[in-house]
Amino acid sequence: MPNVASIGTYLPCWGTPARRAVGDDEDVITMAVEAGRAALQSGGAVERVVLVSRNLPLLESSNAAVLLAGLGLDPELEVDERLGGAPATLDAVSSARPRTLIIGADLDPAGAAALLTAADGLRVRTAARVARSLPVRTRNATGTVRDYGDPRLLHERGLVASLAAAWLDTPAAVAGVDHDRAAELCVGNPPPLPTTGTSSGLFALAGMAEAGTTGPLVAVEQASLSGITVSEGVATVHRREPAARAMPDGVHPDGAQIPISLAAYERAFEAKTRWEAGKFVARDGTETLDFPPRYRIADNGDLASHYELVPLPRLGTVYTETTVSMPVPGLRTPYSLVIVELDDVEVRALVKVTGAEPGTVGIGDRGRLTLRRVALRSGVPDYSYMFEPEAVSPRGAA
């Protein structure tokens, strides 16, 4: 029986309060990193990571390396990537051993949530599992979506029939359906959930933990159902949920995009995705940080190619900024670039701005560096860090 030590949630800043949307620089992996880092904010060891989504960026190759790098975890950890909806996430929770980080992420509506299991914490146990087939909505290998378009059939022969087959007490929360439908089926007044997909069960669990609510938590997807019983104990909840704002205007110009160089991608991967600098130690013991890491010429004229990768601070201040209005194929234009002076080290980094309208970030603004998808080149998502300001200026502000 697993115990939940902490829960982290993340919502993108774009969209409406009821329905968030991903920006051009976000995907399932960047949102999973945000939620996972929030869950790890209280500390705690991780031995295994489970990522559940219907929208994994890479179905061939692996998303594990970027995920572990963004989370700051050991690259040797086991990562289990699962394709599934809300029931699959609760299944992962109910069968998890201690020190497992479980993350669910969705694109529409957008959001991600994560939890870390431990020896102590909020106690949960398996309550039900029902696998039935009612394929009202399908998506095939080529991405074609077909919707049968019968919500009454889905409700009566899917959700209600599966709940009856599960022999559960009246749920305290139902994930995977809209709020009005969930409220009809629950005891009390469950809080609205920002997603209805993979992450919705973890958002519901976060709400129950904050409210001190116990009882059955049910996650459904069409006619499949998984349920856990939440009992006594405490889990810390960390939310990264900025206020919703309208997506800024922009254009996606046509034209040939810059192709990816996989050799360059491989050389820069660790420093880019783990936010690390190269540390050189001179013969006199002087230490110098370079970002991005690069080779140096030694005192004797030889090429010094040995450096140690060390983590960089993730907080900093804008040293200078500019906004690019010239259309660039593959990028939403306009966009802002800043040189950030990182805290406590003599390193400045040139990065793109995220989570703010172009032209609204100024010199002296404080913010954090966060993992984002900087481009999608030749079908390969390319990740690095962007600057997210602490305070966002409204459109048209000086």
Side-chain angles (χ1 to χ4, degrees):
M1 181 174 68
N3 296 312
V4 178
S6 60
I7 305 172
T9 68
Y10 171 72
L11 294 176
C13 64
W14 310 120
T16 67
R19 195 179 190 91
R20 300 299 179 102
V22 292
D24 291 349
D25 52 16
E26 292 185 279
D27 64 7
V28 160
I29 297 301
T30 63
M31 291 191 295
V33 167
E34 290 279 11
R37 292 186 71 90
L40 296 175
Q41 194 171 319
S42 297
V46 179
E47 295 181 352
R48 182 170 180 256
V49 179
V50 179
L51 173 63
V52 189
S53 181
R54 287 284 185 199
N55 306 104
L56 296 172
L58 294 176
L59 296 181
E60 293 191 31
S61 187
S62 173
N63 304 284
V66 176
L67 180 64
L68 292 175
L71 292 170
L73 297 176
D74 192 313
E76 295 184 359
L77 286 185
E78 175 190 356
V79 177
D80 183 0
E81 300 178 43
R82 300 186 184 182
L83 190 66
T89 309
L90 284 197
D91 283 343
V93 173
S94 64
S95 62
R97 57 181 184 261
R99 296 178 291 281
T100 299
L101 180 66
I102 300 167
I103 311 172
D106 299 288
L107 290 184
D108 186 23
L115 64 78
L116 179 64
T117 61
D120 298 305
L122 182 66
R123 295 184 180 180
V124 299
R125 59 178 174 84
T126 303
R129 185 176 289 115
V130 176
R132 298 175 57 241
S133 180
L134 188 64
V136 173
R137 178 182 169 88
T138 63
R139 184 177 64 179
N140 63 17
T142 62
T144 302
V145 175
R146 298 185 183 278
D147 197 325
Y148 191 73
D150 193 335
R152 181 177 178 180
L153 173 69
L154 184 60
H155 175 69
E156 294 182 357
R157 297 305 307 151
L159 173 59
V160 174
S162 293
L163 281 172
W167 292 94
L168 279 170
D169 294 333
T170 304
V174 175
V177 296
D178 63 76
H179 178 66
D180 291 341
R181 191 78 69 187
E184 294 175 359
L185 299 168
C186 293
V187 60
N189 186 25
L193 303 179
T195 64
T196 55
T198 305
S199 62
S200 58
L202 302 186
F203 275 106
L205 185 59
M208 294 179 69
E210 289 176 321
T213 304
T214 59
L217 164 58
V218 175
V220 297
E221 184 182 44
Q222 301 193 53
S224 294
L225 175 151
S226 181
I228 60 175
T229 297
V230 182
S231 54
E232 72 276 4
V234 176
T236 306
V237 178
H238 301 281
R239 293 186 181 270
R240 294 181 177 177
E241 301 180 3
R245 307 194 302 279
M247 187 83 73
D249 296 331
V251 297
H252 288 272
D254 296 328
Q257 300 183 18
I258 301 173
I260 194 168
S261 166
L262 288 177
Y265 172 94
E266 188 275 332
R267 284 196 303 270
F269 182 84
E270 289 296 325
K272 284 202 316 179
T273 57
R274 291 187 176 271
W275 195 239
E276 295 176 333
K279 183 175 76 172
F280 282 89
V281 181
R283 292 182 179 181
D284 62 0
T286 304
E287 296 182 353
T288 305
L289 293 180
D290 287 332
F291 183 81
R294 56 184 180 271
Y295 295 160
R296 285 174 168 261
I297 302 298
D299 295 338
N300 60 2
D302 292 339
L303 182 65
S305 59
H306 298 288
Y307 55 79
E308 175 189 0
L309 288 175
V310 296
L312 284 170
R314 293 173 184 253
L315 297 176
T317 304
V318 174
Y319 179 77
T320 189
E321 59 82 26
T322 189
T323 297
V324 179
S325 298
M326 180 178 292
V328 178
L331 295 177
R332 178 191 286 265
T333 307
Y335 61 90
S336 291
L337 297 170
V338 293
I339 293 179
V340 181
E341 197 165 47
L342 301 179
D343 289 358
D344 304 321
V345 293
E346 295 182 357
V347 172
R348 293 172 182 163
L350 173 64
V351 293
K352 199 175 173 185
V353 174
T354 185
E357 296 190 9
T360 59
V361 175
I363 295 172
D365 286 356
R366 296 279 298 165
R368 69 183 181 113
L369 283 301
T370 183
L371 186 73
R372 290 292 185 265
R373 190 186 69 185
V374 297
L376 184 63
R377 298 189 177 101
S378 307
V380 178
D382 193 9
Y383 300 91
S384 188
Y385 282 75
M386 296 187 184
F387 179 80
E388 183 181 51
E390 288 180 351
V392 177
S393 302
R395 180 177 296 184

Short mmCIF file of all heavy atoms in Angstrom, two decimals, residues 263 266-268 271 277-281 288-299 301-309:
data_model
loop_
_atom_site.label_atom_id
_atom_site.label_comp_id
_atom_site.label_asym_id
_atom_site.label_seq_id
_atom_site.Cartn_x
_atom_site.Cartn_y
_atom_site.Cartn_z
N ALA A 263 24.95 15.57 -34.32
CA ALA A 263 26.26 15.58 -33.68
C ALA A 263 26.36 16.75 -32.70
O ALA A 263 26.83 16.59 -31.56
CB ALA A 263 27.35 15.67 -34.74
N GLU A 266 24.08 16.14 -29.67
CA GLU A 266 24.64 15.21 -28.67
C GLU A 266 25.72 15.89 -27.83
O GLU A 266 25.78 15.69 -26.62
CB GLU A 266 25.22 14.00 -29.41
CG GLU A 266 25.67 12.86 -28.50
CD GLU A 266 27.07 13.04 -27.97
OE1 GLU A 266 27.88 13.70 -28.66
OE2 GLU A 266 27.36 12.54 -26.86
N ARG A 267 26.56 16.71 -28.45
CA ARG A 267 27.64 17.36 -27.70
C ARG A 267 27.10 18.32 -26.65
O ARG A 267 27.64 18.44 -25.55
CB ARG A 267 28.56 18.12 -28.66
CG ARG A 267 29.51 17.27 -29.47
CD ARG A 267 30.62 18.10 -30.09
NE ARG A 267 30.09 19.17 -30.94
CZ ARG A 267 29.84 19.03 -32.23
NH1 ARG A 267 30.06 17.86 -32.82
NH2 ARG A 267 29.39 20.05 -32.95
N ALA A 268 26.02 19.01 -26.98
CA ALA A 268 25.50 20.06 -26.08
C ALA A 268 24.43 19.55 -25.13
O ALA A 268 23.98 20.31 -24.25
CB ALA A 268 24.94 21.20 -26.93
N ALA A 271 24.78 19.78 -20.97
CA ALA A 271 24.83 21.16 -20.47
C ALA A 271 23.50 21.88 -20.69
O ALA A 271 23.04 22.63 -19.82
CB ALA A 271 25.96 21.92 -21.15
N ALA A 277 27.37 24.37 -16.38
CA ALA A 277 28.49 25.08 -16.99
C ALA A 277 29.74 24.20 -16.91
O ALA A 277 29.82 23.27 -16.10
CB ALA A 277 28.74 26.40 -16.27
N GLY A 278 30.71 24.51 -17.77
CA GLY A 278 32.00 23.82 -17.71
C GLY A 278 32.94 24.54 -16.76
O GLY A 278 33.19 25.74 -16.92
N LYS A 279 33.45 23.83 -15.77
CA LYS A 279 34.37 24.44 -14.79
C LYS A 279 35.80 24.03 -15.12
O LYS A 279 36.13 22.85 -15.13
CB LYS A 279 34.02 24.02 -13.37
CG LYS A 279 34.91 24.69 -12.32
CD LYS A 279 34.48 24.35 -10.91
CE LYS A 279 34.89 22.95 -10.50
NZ LYS A 279 34.63 22.69 -9.07
N PHE A 280 36.65 25.02 -15.41
CA PHE A 280 38.07 24.80 -15.65
C PHE A 280 38.86 25.22 -14.42
O PHE A 280 38.55 26.24 -13.79
CB PHE A 280 38.56 25.62 -16.85
CG PHE A 280 38.18 25.01 -18.18
CD1 PHE A 280 36.97 25.33 -18.79
CD2 PHE A 280 39.03 24.12 -18.81
CE1 PHE A 280 36.63 24.77 -20.00
CE2 PHE A 280 38.69 23.56 -20.02
CZ PHE A 280 37.49 23.88 -20.62
N VAL A 281 39.85 24.45 -14.08
CA VAL A 281 40.73 24.78 -12.97
C VAL A 281 42.13 25.00 -13.53
O VAL A 281 42.74 24.07 -14.10
CB VAL A 281 40.74 23.67 -11.90
CG1 VAL A 281 41.66 24.06 -10.74
CG2 VAL A 281 39.33 23.40 -11.39
N THR A 288 37.20 28.77 -13.28
CA THR A 288 36.45 29.59 -14.24
C THR A 288 35.29 28.78 -14.78
O THR A 288 35.44 27.61 -15.12
CB THR A 288 37.34 30.04 -15.40
OG1 THR A 288 38.49 30.71 -14.89
CG2 THR A 288 36.59 30.99 -16.32
N LEU A 289 34.12 29.43 -14.84
CA LEU A 289 32.93 28.78 -15.39
C LEU A 289 32.66 29.31 -16.79
O LEU A 289 32.70 30.53 -17.03
CB LEU A 289 31.71 29.05 -14.50
CG LEU A 289 31.70 28.43 -13.11
CD1 LEU A 289 30.41 28.79 -12.38
CD2 LEU A 289 31.86 26.92 -13.18
N ASP A 290 32.36 28.40 -17.72
CA ASP A 290 32.00 28.76 -19.08
C ASP A 290 30.63 28.18 -19.41
O ASP A 290 30.39 26.99 -19.20
CB ASP A 290 33.02 28.22 -20.10
CG ASP A 290 34.33 28.97 -20.07
OD1 ASP A 290 34.32 30.16 -19.71
OD2 ASP A 290 35.37 28.36 -20.39
N PHE A 291 29.75 29.03 -19.92
CA PHE A 291 28.46 28.54 -20.41
C PHE A 291 28.16 29.21 -21.74
O PHE A 291 28.09 30.43 -21.82
CB PHE A 291 27.33 28.81 -19.43
CG PHE A 291 26.02 28.24 -19.90
CD1 PHE A 291 25.73 26.90 -19.71
CD2 PHE A 291 25.10 29.04 -20.56
CE1 PHE A 291 24.54 26.36 -20.18
CE2 PHE A 291 23.91 28.51 -21.03
CZ PHE A 291 23.63 27.17 -20.84
N PRO A 292 27.98 28.42 -22.79
CA PRO A 292 28.08 26.95 -22.81
C PRO A 292 29.52 26.50 -22.62
O PRO A 292 30.45 27.27 -22.87
CB PRO A 292 27.56 26.58 -24.19
CG PRO A 292 27.78 27.79 -25.02
CD PRO A 292 27.62 28.97 -24.12
N PRO A 293 29.72 25.27 -22.15
CA PRO A 293 31.09 24.77 -21.94
C PRO A 293 31.89 24.79 -23.24
O PRO A 293 31.34 24.53 -24.32
CB PRO A 293 30.87 23.32 -21.45
CG PRO A 293 29.48 23.31 -20.91
CD PRO A 293 28.71 24.27 -21.77
N ARG A 294 33.17 25.08 -23.15
CA ARG A 294 34.01 25.11 -24.35
C ARG A 294 35.46 24.79 -23.95
O ARG A 294 35.82 24.87 -22.78
CB ARG A 294 33.94 26.47 -25.03
CG ARG A 294 34.32 27.65 -24.14
CD ARG A 294 34.11 28.97 -24.90
NE ARG A 294 34.46 30.12 -24.10
CZ ARG A 294 33.63 30.76 -23.29
NH1 ARG A 294 32.39 30.33 -23.17
NH2 ARG A 294 34.02 31.81 -22.60
N TYR A 295 36.23 24.42 -24.95
CA TYR A 295 37.64 24.15 -24.71
C TYR A 295 38.40 25.46 -24.54
O TYR A 295 37.99 26.52 -25.03
CB TYR A 295 38.23 23.36 -25.87
CG TYR A 295 37.64 21.97 -26.03
CD1 TYR A 295 37.75 21.28 -27.22
CD2 TYR A 295 36.98 21.35 -24.97
CE1 TYR A 295 37.23 20.01 -27.38
CE2 TYR A 295 36.45 20.08 -25.11
CZ TYR A 295 36.57 19.43 -26.32
OH TYR A 295 36.04 18.17 -26.46
N ARG A 296 39.56 25.38 -23.88
CA ARG A 296 40.40 26.55 -23.66
C ARG A 296 41.84 26.24 -24.08
O ARG A 296 42.22 25.08 -24.22
CB ARG A 296 40.38 26.96 -22.18
CG ARG A 296 39.10 27.65 -21.75
CD ARG A 296 39.09 27.90 -20.26
NE ARG A 296 38.01 28.81 -19.91
CZ ARG A 296 38.17 30.10 -19.69
NH1 ARG A 296 39.38 30.64 -19.80
NH2 ARG A 296 37.15 30.87 -19.37
N ILE A 297 42.62 27.28 -24.27
CA ILE A 297 44.04 27.14 -24.55
C ILE A 297 44.80 27.22 -23.23
O ILE A 297 44.68 28.21 -22.48
CB ILE A 297 44.55 28.24 -25.51
CG1 ILE A 297 43.76 28.19 -26.82
CG2 ILE A 297 46.04 28.08 -25.76
CD1 ILE A 297 43.92 26.90 -27.57
N ALA A 298 45.53 26.17 -22.89
CA ALA A 298 46.28 26.13 -21.64
C ALA A 298 47.46 27.10 -21.69
O ALA A 298 47.82 27.64 -22.75
CB ALA A 298 46.76 24.72 -21.36
N ASP A 299 48.08 27.30 -20.52
CA ASP A 299 49.21 28.25 -20.43
C ASP A 299 50.35 27.85 -21.35
O ASP A 299 51.10 28.70 -21.84
CB ASP A 299 49.69 28.34 -18.98
CG ASP A 299 48.64 28.93 -18.06
OD1 ASP A 299 47.74 29.63 -18.58
OD2 ASP A 299 48.70 28.69 -16.84
N GLY A 301 50.07 26.51 -24.25
CA GLY A 301 49.63 26.53 -25.63
C GLY A 301 48.85 25.31 -26.07
O GLY A 301 48.32 25.28 -27.19
N ASP A 302 48.76 24.28 -25.22
CA ASP A 302 48.00 23.09 -25.57
C ASP A 302 46.49 23.37 -25.46
O ASP A 302 46.06 24.26 -24.73
CB ASP A 302 48.36 21.92 -24.65
CG ASP A 302 49.78 21.44 -24.87
OD1 ASP A 302 50.33 21.72 -25.95
OD2 ASP A 302 50.33 20.78 -23.96
N LEU A 303 45.71 22.55 -26.17
CA LEU A 303 44.26 22.66 -26.08
C LEU A 303 43.79 21.97 -24.81
O LEU A 303 44.00 20.76 -24.62
CB LEU A 303 43.60 22.02 -27.31
CG LEU A 303 42.08 22.10 -27.37
CD1 LEU A 303 41.61 23.54 -27.49
CD2 LEU A 303 41.55 21.26 -28.54
N ALA A 304 43.17 22.72 -23.90
CA ALA A 304 42.64 22.16 -22.65
C ALA A 304 41.19 21.75 -22.88
O ALA A 304 40.31 22.59 -23.02
CB ALA A 304 42.74 23.19 -21.53
N SER A 305 40.97 20.46 -22.96
CA SER A 305 39.65 19.94 -23.31
C SER A 305 38.94 19.27 -22.14
O SER A 305 37.83 18.76 -22.30
CB SER A 305 39.76 18.94 -24.46
OG SER A 305 40.61 17.86 -24.10
N HIS A 306 39.56 19.26 -20.97
CA HIS A 306 38.96 18.59 -19.82
C HIS A 306 38.32 19.63 -18.90
O HIS A 306 39.00 20.54 -18.42
CB HIS A 306 40.00 17.78 -19.05
CG HIS A 306 40.63 16.69 -19.86
ND1 HIS A 306 39.95 15.55 -20.21
CD2 HIS A 306 41.87 16.57 -20.40
CE1 HIS A 306 40.73 14.77 -20.92
NE2 HIS A 306 41.91 15.37 -21.07
N TYR A 307 37.04 19.51 -18.71
CA TYR A 307 36.33 20.38 -17.78
C TYR A 307 35.29 19.55 -17.03
O TYR A 307 34.90 18.46 -17.45
CB TYR A 307 35.66 21.55 -18.50
CG TYR A 307 34.72 21.17 -19.63
CD1 TYR A 307 33.43 20.71 -19.37
CD2 TYR A 307 35.14 21.26 -20.95
CE1 TYR A 307 32.59 20.36 -20.40
CE2 TYR A 307 34.29 20.91 -21.98
CZ TYR A 307 33.01 20.46 -21.71
OH TYR A 307 32.16 20.10 -22.72
N GLU A 308 34.84 20.09 -15.91
CA GLU A 308 33.83 19.43 -15.08
C GLU A 308 32.52 20.17 -15.23
O GLU A 308 32.47 21.40 -15.12
CB GLU A 308 34.27 19.43 -13.62
CG GLU A 308 33.24 18.85 -12.66
CD GLU A 308 33.60 19.07 -11.21
OE1 GLU A 308 34.66 19.66 -10.93
OE2 GLU A 308 32.81 18.65 -10.33
N LEU A 309 31.45 19.43 -15.49
CA LEU A 309 30.13 20.05 -15.57
C LEU A 309 29.58 20.27 -14.16
O LEU A 309 29.53 19.33 -13.35
CB LEU A 309 29.17 19.17 -16.37
CG LEU A 309 29.40 19.12 -17.89
CD1 LEU A 309 28.45 18.12 -18.53
CD2 LEU A 309 29.21 20.49 -18.51
#
